[in-house]
Amino acid sequence: MPIIEVPVVIVGAGPAGIATAGCLNKLRISNIVLERDDCPASLWRKRAYDRLKLHLGKDFCSLPHYPFPSDFPKFVPRVDFLRYIDSYVAHFGIAINYNCSVDSAFIDQSSGKWRLLVTNNSSGADEIYEAEFLVVASGENSEEYIPNIQGLESYQGESMHCSKYLNGREMYKKNVLVVGCGNSGMEIAYDLSNWGAYTSIVIRSQVHYFTKEMVYAGMLMLKHFMVEKVDKMMVLMSKLKYGNMFKYGLTRPQEGPFALKIKGGTTPTIDVGCIEKIKKGKVKVYPGISSIKEGKVVKFVDGQHAHFDAIIFATGYKTNVLKWLKDYKNLFNENGMPKPSYPNHWKGEHGIYSAGFSKRGLEGISFDAMKIANDINFTLTSRVNQITS
């Protein structure tokens, strides 16, 4: 079959993929984005709950060379963010081949270039792409992750990953357990309670929690002060706002929120109202799950038992890179994440790059996209200069 040749192939049309394509287009470097779904930013469009907003202020979330409209609110709602994404794609003329699943990507020994074997799910045809540069932008959130819990396969209630949750309309008067205390878990628990569900949440580990406004203030302070000083201010603000939450089942880590974020990508939880619900007893906190017993009974590690009609797993995602990237060792480790740590995570050997794997949200995506585009431009420009000199 014919080989489709292009200088740069980008796998994934999430924010990381389209940001990289936008930066490349600005530099007039030809590229193509391969997307397995039928739209850009499918995680936001198809697998996000209704009330979702950007948890950081829009100042820290715009993609390169294209700020958010001035009339957008500081914390951009999901629907407006998708409007922004669509506008970004149109503004930069980004070429996206939808419904294209990358089955395999490897270095072709004869050409020395990246070869991608692709299934076009629209036509049913197999396609081959060849590129000097490969940008892996399929992201950290490619596949839902649900932990292996003893007895889950025989649970007789409704269980789902949070990517399937839209709102709590159908959960009125039901006993619902949310597993996970990150941003999604806390916000979904809050939403369920508002819809009249008898809501509980599993909080296994220590967690920092702040309002959106606190985090926004902290991000601004980081521009002027050291992390240690900002972390002390953040924890003080949290204690003044929420008090000691130990008796409710929440404890704060010893290390500060931004230090933890920088060290390992652990994000502080942004509270949209769930903490107040916990204090008032409208959301009950449990420790980790030990097992699921007969019917709909969940046993917890402290020996408690409770009956739940539904379990929602806000337990995150995992990457799918190793399923299709054969020559992954040029950049990625056995967990499908970049070997080098931030800020050197974005570039590997033999023309491979990663976008959206820094665990730093949209701000990290913008950093990756500009670094990648500028590096590819430098490589191509240097080659031309050598030829003409």
Side-chain angles (χ1 to χ4, degrees), residues 339-384:
K339 291 178 188 176
S341 57
Y342 179 89
N344 303 310
H345 62 286
W346 55 275
K347 182 180 180 181
E349 298 176 353
H350 301 292
I352 188 171
Y353 300 89
S354 71
F357 286 85
S358 68
K359 296 184 178 180
R360 281 168 169 75
L362 291 164
E363 192 172 32
I365 282 171
S366 292
F367 173 90
D368 294 347
M370 290 188 286
K371 283 283 190 181
I372 292 166
N374 289 336
D375 192 71
I376 291 174
N377 185 56
F378 176 80
T379 301
L380 295 175
T381 303
S382 299
R383 186 180 302 158
V384 170

Coordinates of all heavy atoms in Angstrom, one line a residue, residues 339-384:
K339 N 11.2 8.7 30.5 CA 12.3 8.4 31.4 C 12.9 9.6 32.1 O 13.1 9.7 33.3 CB 13.5 7.6 30.7 CG 13.1 6.2 30.2 CD 14.3 5.7 29.4 CE 14.0 4.4 28.8 NZ 15.1 3.9 27.9
P340 N 13.2 10.7 31.3 CA 13.8 11.9 31.9 C 12.7 12.6 32.7 O 11.5 12.6 32.4 CB 14.2 12.7 30.7 CG 14.2 11.8 29.5 CD 13.2 10.8 29.8
S341 N 13.1 13.2 33.8 CA 12.2 14.0 34.6 C 12.0 15.4 34.1 O 12.9 15.8 33.2 CB 12.6 14.0 36.1 OG 13.9 14.6 36.2
Y342 N 11.0 16.1 34.4 CA 10.8 17.5 34.1 C 12.0 18.3 34.5 O 12.4 18.1 35.6 CB 9.5 18.0 34.7 CG 9.1 19.4 34.4 CD1 8.4 19.7 33.3 CD2 9.6 20.4 35.2 CE1 8.0 21.1 33.1 CE2 9.3 21.7 35.0 CZ 8.5 22.1 33.9 OH 8.2 23.4 33.6
P343 N 12.5 19.2 33.7 CA 11.9 19.7 32.4 C 12.5 19.1 31.2 O 12.5 19.7 30.1 CB 12.3 21.2 32.5 CG 13.6 21.2 33.2 CD 13.6 20.1 34.2
N344 N 13.1 17.9 31.3 CA 13.8 17.3 30.2 C 13.1 16.1 29.6 O 13.6 15.3 28.8 CB 15.2 16.9 30.6 CG 16.1 18.0 31.1 OD1 16.2 19.0 30.5 ND2 16.6 17.8 32.3
H345 N 11.8 16.0 30.0 CA 11.0 14.8 29.6 C 10.5 14.8 28.2 O 10.0 13.7 27.7 CB 9.8 14.8 30.5 CG 8.9 16.0 30.3 ND1 9.3 17.3 30.8 CD2 7.7 16.2 29.6 CE1 8.4 18.1 30.4 NE2 7.4 17.5 29.7
W346 N 10.6 15.9 27.5 CA 9.8 16.0 26.2 C 10.6 15.5 25.0 O 10.0 15.4 23.9 CB 9.5 17.5 26.0 CG 10.7 18.4 26.1 CD1 11.3 19.0 27.2 CD2 11.5 18.9 25.0 NE1 12.4 19.7 26.9 CE2 12.5 19.7 25.5 CE3 11.5 18.7 23.6 CZ2 13.5 20.3 24.7 CZ3 12.4 19.3 22.8 CH2 13.4 20.1 23.4
K347 N 11.9 15.2 25.2 CA 12.7 14.8 24.0 C 13.4 13.5 24.2 O 14.1 13.3 25.3 CB 13.7 15.9 23.6 CG 14.5 15.7 22.4 CD 15.5 16.8 22.1 CE 16.3 16.5 20.9 NZ 17.3 17.6 20.6
G348 N 13.4 12.6 23.2 CA 14.2 11.4 23.3 C 15.1 11.3 22.1 O 15.4 12.3 21.4
E349 N 15.6 10.1 21.8 CA 16.5 9.9 20.7 C 15.8 9.6 19.4 O 14.6 9.1 19.4 CB 17.5 8.8 21.0 CG 18.4 9.2 22.3 CD 19.3 8.0 22.6 OE1 19.1 6.9 22.1 OE2 20.1 8.2 23.5
H350 N 16.4 9.7 18.3 CA 15.9 9.4 17.0 C 14.6 10.1 16.6 O 13.7 9.5 16.1 CB 15.7 7.8 16.9 CG 16.9 7.1 17.1 ND1 18.0 7.1 16.2 CD2 17.3 6.3 18.1 CE1 19.0 6.3 16.7 NE2 18.6 5.8 17.9
G351 N 14.5 11.3 17.0 CA 13.3 12.1 16.6 C 12.0 11.9 17.2 O 11.0 12.2 16.7
I352 N 12.0 11.3 18.5 CA 10.8 11.1 19.2 C 10.6 12.1 20.3 O 11.6 12.5 21.0 CB 10.7 9.7 19.8 CG1 9.3 9.4 20.3 CG2 11.8 9.4 20.8 CD1 9.1 7.9 20.7
Y353 N 9.4 12.6 20.5 CA 9.1 13.6 21.5 C 7.8 13.1 22.2 O 7.0 12.4 21.7 CB 8.8 14.9 20.8 CG 9.9 15.5 20.0 CD1 10.1 15.2 18.7 CD2 10.9 16.3 20.6 CE1 11.2 15.7 18.0 CE2 11.9 16.9 19.9 CZ 12.1 16.6 18.6 OH 13.1 17.1 17.9
S354 N 7.6 13.7 23.4 CA 6.4 13.5 24.2 C 5.8 14.8 24.6 O 6.5 15.7 25.0 CB 6.7 12.6 25.5 OG 7.4 13.4 26.4
A355 N 4.5 14.9 24.4 CA 3.7 16.1 24.7 C 2.6 15.7 25.7 O 1.8 14.8 25.3 CB 3.2 16.8 23.5
G356 N 2.5 16.4 26.8 CA 1.4 16.1 27.7 C 1.7 15.1 28.7 O 0.7 14.5 29.3
F357 N 2.9 14.8 29.0 CA 3.3 13.8 30.0 C 4.0 14.3 31.2 O 4.7 13.6 31.9 CB 4.2 12.7 29.3 CG 3.5 11.8 28.4 CD1 3.2 12.2 27.1 CD2 3.0 10.6 28.8 CE1 2.6 11.3 26.2 CE2 2.3 9.7 27.9 CZ 2.1 10.1 26.6
S358 N 4.0 15.6 31.4 CA 4.7 16.2 32.5 C 4.0 16.3 33.8 O 4.6 16.7 34.8 CB 5.1 17.7 32.1 OG 3.9 18.5 32.1
K359 N 2.7 15.9 33.8 CA 1.9 16.0 35.0 C 1.7 17.4 35.5 O 1.6 17.6 36.7 CB 2.4 15.1 36.1 CG 2.4 13.6 35.8 CD 2.9 12.7 37.0 CE 2.8 11.2 36.6 NZ 3.2 10.4 37.7
R360 N 1.7 18.3 34.6 CA 1.6 19.7 34.9 C 0.5 20.4 34.2 O 0.5 21.6 33.9 CB 2.9 20.4 34.7 CG 3.9 20.2 35.8 CD 5.3 20.7 35.4 NE 6.2 20.7 36.6 CZ 6.7 19.6 37.1 NH1 6.4 18.4 36.6 NH2 7.5 19.6 38.2
G361 N -0.5 19.6 33.8 CA -1.7 20.2 33.2 C -1.5 21.0 31.9 O -0.6 20.7 31.2
L362 N -2.4 21.9 31.7 CA -2.3 22.7 30.5 C -1.1 23.6 30.4 O -0.6 23.8 29.3 CB -3.6 23.5 30.3 CG -4.9 22.6 30.0 CD1 -6.1 23.5 30.3 CD2 -4.9 22.1 28.6
E363 N -0.6 24.1 31.5 CA 0.6 24.9 31.5 C 1.8 24.0 31.0 O 2.6 24.4 30.3 CB 0.8 25.4 32.9 CG 1.9 26.5 32.9 CD 2.0 27.2 34.2 OE1 1.8 26.6 35.3 OE2 2.4 28.4 34.2
G364 N 1.8 22.8 31.5 CA 2.9 21.8 31.1 C 2.8 21.5 29.6 O 3.8 21.3 28.9
I365 N 1.5 21.3 29.1 CA 1.3 21.1 27.7 C 1.9 22.2 26.8 O 2.5 21.9 25.8 CB -0.2 20.8 27.5 CG1 -0.6 19.4 27.9 CG2 -0.6 21.1 26.0 CD1 -2.1 19.2 27.9
S366 N 1.6 23.4 27.2 CA 2.1 24.5 26.4 C 3.7 24.5 26.4 O 4.3 24.8 25.4 CB 1.6 25.9 27.0 OG 0.2 26.0 26.8
F367 N 4.3 24.3 27.6 CA 5.7 24.2 27.6 C 6.2 23.1 26.7 O 7.2 23.4 25.9 CB 6.1 23.8 29.1 CG 7.6 23.5 29.3 CD1 8.5 24.5 29.6 CD2 8.1 22.2 29.1 CE1 9.8 24.2 29.8 CE2 9.4 21.9 29.3 CZ 10.3 22.9 29.7
D368 N 5.6 21.9 26.7 CA 6.0 20.8 25.8 C 5.9 21.2 24.3 O 6.8 21.0 23.5 CB 5.2 19.6 26.1 CG 5.4 19.0 27.4 OD1 6.4 19.4 28.1 OD2 4.6 18.1 27.8
A369 N 4.8 21.7 24.0 CA 4.5 22.0 22.6 C 5.5 23.0 22.0 O 6.0 22.8 20.9 CB 3.0 22.6 22.5
M370 N 5.8 24.1 22.7 CA 6.7 25.1 22.2 C 8.1 24.5 22.2 O 8.9 24.8 21.2 CB 6.7 26.3 23.1 CG 5.4 27.1 22.9 SD 5.3 28.7 23.8 CE 5.2 28.2 25.5
K371 N 8.5 23.7 23.2 CA 9.9 23.1 23.1 C 10.0 22.2 21.9 O 11.0 22.2 21.2 CB 10.1 22.3 24.4 CG 10.4 23.2 25.6 CD 11.9 23.7 25.6 CE 12.3 24.3 26.9 NZ 13.7 24.8 26.9
I372 N 9.0 21.4 21.7 CA 9.1 20.4 20.6 C 9.2 21.1 19.3 O 10.0 20.8 18.4 CB 7.9 19.5 20.7 CG1 8.0 18.6 21.9 CG2 7.8 18.6 19.4 CD1 6.7 17.8 22.3
A373 N 8.3 22.0 19.0 CA 8.2 22.7 17.8 C 9.5 23.5 17.5 O 10.1 23.4 16.4 CB 7.0 23.7 17.7
N374 N 10.0 24.2 18.5 CA 11.3 24.9 18.3 C 12.5 24.0 18.1 O 13.4 24.3 17.3 CB 11.6 25.8 19.6 CG 10.6 26.9 19.7 OD1 10.0 27.4 18.7 ND2 10.4 27.5 20.9
D375 N 12.5 22.8 18.7 CA 13.6 21.9 18.5 C 13.5 21.3 17.1 O 14.6 21.2 16.5 CB 13.5 20.7 19.6 CG 14.7 19.9 19.6 OD1 15.8 20.4 20.1 OD2 14.7 18.7 19.1
I376 N 12.4 20.9 16.6 CA 12.2 20.4 15.3 C 12.6 21.5 14.3 O 13.3 21.2 13.3 CB 10.8 19.9 15.0 CG1 10.5 18.6 15.9 CG2 10.6 19.6 13.5 CD1 9.1 18.2 15.8
N377 N 12.2 22.7 14.5 CA 12.5 23.8 13.6 C 14.1 24.0 13.6 O 14.6 24.2 12.5 CB 11.8 25.1 14.1 CG 12.1 26.2 13.2 OD1 11.8 26.2 12.0 ND2 12.6 27.3 13.7
F378 N 14.7 23.9 14.8 CA 16.1 24.1 14.8 C 16.9 23.0 14.0 O 17.8 23.3 13.3 CB 16.6 24.0 16.3 CG 18.1 24.1 16.5 CD1 18.8 25.3 16.4 CD2 18.8 22.9 16.7 CE1 20.2 25.4 16.5 CE2 20.2 23.0 16.8 CZ 20.9 24.2 16.8
T379 N 16.4 21.8 14.2 CA 17.0 20.6 13.4 C 16.9 20.8 11.9 O 17.8 20.7 11.2 CB 16.3 19.3 13.8 OG1 16.5 19.1 15.2 CG2 16.9 18.1 13.0
L380 N 15.7 21.2 11.5 CA 15.4 21.4 10.0 C 16.2 22.6 9.5 O 16.8 22.6 8.4 CB 13.9 21.5 9.7 CG 13.1 20.3 10.1 CD1 11.6 20.6 9.9 CD2 13.5 19.1 9.2
T381 N 16.2 23.7 10.2 CA 16.9 24.9 9.8 C 18.4 24.7 9.7 O 19.1 25.1 8.8 CB 16.6 26.1 10.8 OG1 15.2 26.3 10.8 CG2 17.3 27.3 10.3
S382 N 19.0 24.0 10.7 CA 20.4 23.7 10.7 C 20.8 22.9 9.5 O 21.8 23.1 8.9 CB 20.8 23.0 12.0 OG 20.5 23.7 13.2
R383 N 19.9 21.9 9.2 CA 20.2 21.1 8.0 C 20.2 21.9 6.7 O 21.1 21.7 5.9 CB 19.1 20.0 7.9 CG 19.4 18.9 6.8 CD 18.3 17.9 6.8 NE 18.2 17.3 8.2 CZ 17.1 16.6 8.6 NH1 16.0 16.6 7.8 NH2 17.1 16.1 9.8
V384 N 19.3 22.8 6.6 CA 19.2 23.6 5.4 C 20.5 24.5 5.3 O 21.1 24.7 4.3 CB 17.9 24.5 5.4 CG1 18.0 25.6 4.3 CG2 16.7 23.6 5.2

